[in-house]
Amino acid sequence: MSHYKAPPTTVEEQIALLESRGMLIKDHHVATQFLKQVSYYRFAGYALPFEKHFPRKRTHRYKPSTSFEMVTQLYEFDRDLRGILLRAIERIEITFRSQICFHAANITKDSHWTTDMRQFDSRFDFARYIEKIQIEVDRSSEPFIEYYQETYDTPEIPASWMLIEILGFGTWSRVYKSLRSDDIRRRVADYFSISSHLLESWIEAITILRNICAHHGRTWNRASLTLPKMTNRMKRLYPESSISRSRIIILLDVIHELLQPIAESQSAFTNEISELLLNYPSIPRHPMGMNRTVPNSTTNIRDLIIS
């Protein structure tokens, strides 16, 4: 282990460093303002695809004609992509947790099934889950939570249909995964027209993607995304040897499928992705697992897969 020695630098020094490495910067004022807002370290992450690379070794030199504007455009593309993904995942999340609550409450005939240990299997850390619920209830300022606490002594924790409004996507993903009732799991999955084991995997994968997007993480060329379980159709489209199997395209496909039963959401998602690609024609698509098909309003997500 060695000691980290990189000293802090001024924005002017950062710009000079980029230029010394071969990046073209025609407007220093624009570059200065951008780096003050975004930070050099974050910018440098988006500049990595423009570096000259040798196997397993960085050169810290940029390819000829690489400009500051090219990198900022990639940054803006990724920001817009995250916005599209968050909007789509929001629709899925709200529908998913509503379906869980509806079916679980009606099958168990219990408004507070969420706090009944008997509803969960042995994989579930029930104590930690209850602690998480209590934290969220205590810090919530939602009027319906405050009303419940002021009006009712027992049960101490509010009803399940109140909890769906304050617990996060990750919690509901774990709840679904650990439900003892196959009937509840199947009914929720039936809404999305897939099996329960697929839904469990898909929800877990897009929950991780949502967290990356919500924390403004780089998304467009991320290769370490959680791989969801695949249908036979997907296995044919994404063979193990294909780059697309470890790229964002497969999660775009999953999101597209999960949006199918949600009114107008699937077409809206496809249109937004198509418009994004049209607005940024110079962005490399290979790192996303996409080909160079020119999208339009009727383009299916699967039409963009690298074959």
Side-chain angles (χ1 to χ4, degrees):
M1 298 290 287
S2 59
H3 183 71
Y4 186 77
K5 298 180 179 179
T9 56
T10 65
V11 174
E12 291 75 17
E13 289 171 333
Q14 292 164 4
I15 290 174
L17 179 61
L18 291 171
E19 289 183 316
S20 72
R21 293 176 172 177
M23 183 173 291
L24 304 175
I25 304 178
K26 66 179 181 180
D27 191 325
H28 280 217
H29 175 73
V30 170
T32 297
Q33 295 306 308
F34 187 89
L35 292 176
K36 284 182 177 179
Q37 296 166 15
V38 172
S39 88
Y40 174 85
Y41 194 78
R42 184 170 175 81
F43 174 85
Y46 284 91
L48 279 174
F50 298 95
E51 282 190 14
K52 298 176 182 178
H53 280 270
F54 292 117
R56 299 185 181 182
K57 184 178 180 181
R58 287 185 60 186
T59 64
H60 296 284
R61 298 290 302 176
Y62 294 107
K63 300 170 186 176
S65 302
T66 297
S67 67
F68 193 90
E69 291 73 22
M70 291 166 64
V71 181
T72 57
Q73 187 177 61
L74 179 56
Y75 177 84
E76 291 164 358
F77 170 84
D78 197 45
R79 180 192 59 203
D80 292 349
L81 174 61
R82 288 196 302 274
I84 294 172
L85 292 171
L86 283 171
R87 286 190 293 276
I89 294 173
E90 176 191 6
R91 299 182 188 111
I92 295 168
E93 176 185 354
I94 291 173
T95 303
F96 173 70
R97 67 193 192 191
S98 296
Q99 283 289 306
I100 294 176
C101 185
F102 176 80
H103 290 297
N106 280 280
I107 288 174
T108 63
K109 306 300 181 184
D110 182 3
S111 60
H112 287 72
W113 65 269
T114 40
T115 53
D116 182 355
M117 182 185 293
R118 295 170 298 176
Q119 302 303 330
F120 304 94
D121 64 28
S122 59
R123 298 175 299 172
F124 197 51
D125 189 341
F126 188 77
R128 183 177 179 184
Y129 160 70
I130 292 297
E131 181 182 356
K132 173 68 173 176
I133 291 178
Q134 195 62 65
I135 290 172
E136 295 301 325
V137 169
D138 290 345
R139 73 179 184 182
S140 175
S141 59
E142 292 286 359
F144 54 86
I145 296 293
E146 293 177 350
Y147 175 80
Y148 184 92
Q149 292 178 312
E150 292 167 0
T151 308
Y152 304 101
D153 294 325
T154 56
E156 182 179 353
I157 293 175
S160 57
W161 43 81
M162 300 178 189
L163 294 184
I164 65 172
E165 299 301 325
I166 64 171
L167 296 181
F169 199 10
T171 299
W172 288 110
S173 175
R174 291 188 291 274
V175 164
Y176 181 78
K177 181 178 182 179
S178 300
L179 282 171
R180 190 180 297 276
S181 170
D182 289 335
D183 189 22
I184 297 172
R185 286 166 48 81
R186 178 183 54 77
R187 293 193 190 196
V188 176
D190 283 348
Y191 180 86
F192 293 97
S193 299
I194 58 176
S195 67
S196 58
H197 80 276
L198 272 180
L199 181 60
E200 176 186 318
S201 173
W202 288 11
I203 291 297
E204 182 178 5
I206 66 169
T207 298
I208 294 170
L209 177 62
R210 178 202 173 277
N211 291 340
I212 291 170
C213 292
H215 291 89
H216 321 298
R218 180 175 41 79
T219 303
W220 77 286
N221 67 340
R222 187 179 289 268
S224 58
L225 294 165
T226 299
L227 183 66
K229 292 180 180 178
M230 292 184 281
T231 62
N232 289 333
R233 187 265 307 168
M234 295 170 73
K235 289 176 182 177
R236 291 191 296 271
L237 287 172
Y238 309 104
E240 291 188 17
S241 59
S242 171
I243 184 177
S244 61
R245 198 166 195 185
S246 63
R247 302 293 176 165
I248 189 67
I249 184 65
I250 193 170
L251 290 183
L252 296 181
D253 194 347
V254 164
I255 290 169
H256 181 265
E257 290 300 299
L258 289 173
L259 287 171
Q260 188 276 328
I262 305 172
E264 300 182 1
S265 294
Q266 190 181 59
S267 59
F269 176 66
T270 302
N271 289 341
E272 284 193 277
I273 292 294
S274 296
E275 185 176 349
L276 176 71
L277 296 174
L278 288 171
N279 288 342
Y280 293 91
S282 65
I283 298 300
R285 294 198 205 166
H286 190 268
M288 295 185 284
M290 292 183 180
N291 58 41
R292 296 301 302 180
T293 298
V294 178
N296 55 52
S297 59
T298 61
T299 298
N300 190 292
I301 294 295
R302 294 186 292 274
D303 295 335
L304 299 171
I305 298 167
I306 291 177
S307 58

